[in-house]
Amino acid sequence: MFTVIGERINTTLKKVQAAVIARDADYIREDVKKQQAGGATYIDVNAGARIGHEEADMKWLLKVVQEGTDLPLCLDSPDPAILEMAYSMVNKTPMVNSISLEKDRFDAMMPFLDGKECKIIALCMDDSGMPKSVADIVDRATKLVEELEKIGMKRDDIFIDPLIQPMSVDSNNGNVAMEAVQTIMTDLAGVHTTGGLSNISYGLPQRKIINRNFLGLMMAHGFDSAIMDPLDTDIMAVLNTCEMLKGNDSFCMNYLKGVRAGNIKA
Ligand code: THG
């Protein structure tokens, strides 16, 4: 099954940041209810935008988000100390977002993950920066899986993020992401792939059109999770239709359900 990580609880979003500053719990609870109804399987929680407030904002958000939904959370921070605090507050087995091969982050995250029950997003990032080729991405993914398996993590709990980069920066970035996903899903069979889908359209107009079409292409290459907006019914229609076309929807039941609900229509 495709894993939809709902991206909307993120303090880089103006309305969310205003709600966090005002400690408007109703706004946050309503938003996560809508994400769940839209088809989210995890709710991403990112409180990183207000410098100096991440710990307090994250604590408040985790409490309020879990009042609005029984979905598991995707704990989104580059700071291992924040992730440890967040892990201690969740009611359900979470996804931890993220570990990478950057030395400081890797060295702090490995002992934290050792023996913990969780899903993990592993970024194909190291101290030399963003990956520059498909081989770069696949090498980093392979190292991350090797290391995570050494501490007993199962491939089914590992979500590799190839780091999707904008088309506006390099017109090969879409091909790089697609090829990397295909290679990872083949050579590291059993892991999942995920990533911030909307990174692809950064700097271009009509971003939703780009994101939607890119999701279909990525799914054709084995992409089986995305950090995305489950309130965008058009992108969710692409997702459910592609799942059906890939044979992941027996008797097209879920597709037909989407049509009957009015969420899939021409
Ligand atoms: N990989 C991993 N985690 C991630 C990302 C990733 N977490 C953060 C981010 N990238 C994914 N989350 C979001 C959340 C919201 C939006 C995009 C990505 C979003 N952006 C709109 C935009 O960019 O135009 C609106 C911005 C606004 O309203 O200000 O909605 O890649 N592992």
Side-chain angles (χ1 to χ4, degrees), residues 90-156:
V90 295
N91 301 327
K92 290 241 167 93
T93 303
M95 188 176 291
V96 174
N97 185 9
S98 51
I99 190 171
S100 74
L101 291 168
E102 294 157 286
K103 192 175 187 316
D104 290 352
R105 199 150 154 188
F106 182 84
D107 288 351
M109 287 303 291
M110 286 301 277
F112 161 65
L113 291 171
D114 196 347
K116 290 263 186 344
E117 195 188 328
C118 64
K119 308 277 181 188
I120 182 74
I121 297 181
L123 302 182
C124 294
M125 175 81 108
D126 69 15
D127 286 317
S128 72
M130 295 292 274
K132 282 159 193 67
S133 64
V134 173
D136 245 9
I137 299 172
V138 174
D139 282 352
R140 293 171 188 194
T142 305
K143 270 200 201 100
L144 283 160
V145 172
E146 268 171 24
E147 294 295 329
L148 290 167
E149 283 186 319
K150 272 189 211 161
I151 58 165
M153 291 206 74
K154 296 191 293 282
R155 287 195 178 192
D156 185 43

Side-chain angles (χ1 to χ4, degrees), residues 7 10 12-13 76 97 121 123 161 196 198-199 207 227:
E7 71 184 6
N10 188 316
T12 60
L13 302 177
D76 189 353
N97 185 9
I121 297 181
L123 302 182
D161 183 339
S198 64
N199 295 349
R207 294 184 62 182
I227 306 168

Side-chain angles (χ1 to χ4, degrees), residues 20-93:
V20 168
I21 291 169
R23 292 296 190 252
D24 179 354
D26 285 339
Y27 178 90
I28 301 295
R29 284 190 293 252
E30 285 312 305
D31 189 281
V32 298
K33 284 193 172 93
K34 286 187 274 185
Q35 292 193 66
Q36 179 162 15
T41 36
Y42 282 84
I43 301 291
D44 190 87
V45 183
N46 183 317
R50 296 205 308 138
I51 308 298
H53 296 267
E54 186 177 12
E55 189 181 359
D57 287 354
M58 190 65 151
K59 275 190 181 152
W60 181 78
L61 275 171
L62 291 171
K63 173 178 171 288
V64 172
V65 166
Q66 291 181 101
E67 291 164 1
T69 183
D70 54 4
L71 288 176
L73 307 186
C74 177
L75 309 171
D76 189 353
S77 172
D79 183 344
I82 297 281
L83 293 175
E84 282 206 56
M85 178 280 287
Y87 185 88
S88 75
M89 283 186 65
V90 295
N91 301 327
K92 290 241 167 93
T93 303

Side-chain angles (χ1 to χ4, degrees), residues 34 66 88 102 168 173 212 221 225 232 234 246 257 261:
K34 286 187 274 185
Q66 291 181 101
S88 75
E102 294 157 286
S168 56
N173 279 339
R212 243 178 250 163
H221 290 80
S225 170
D232 178 348
D234 290 329
K246 290 183 69 183
K257 204 173 112 191

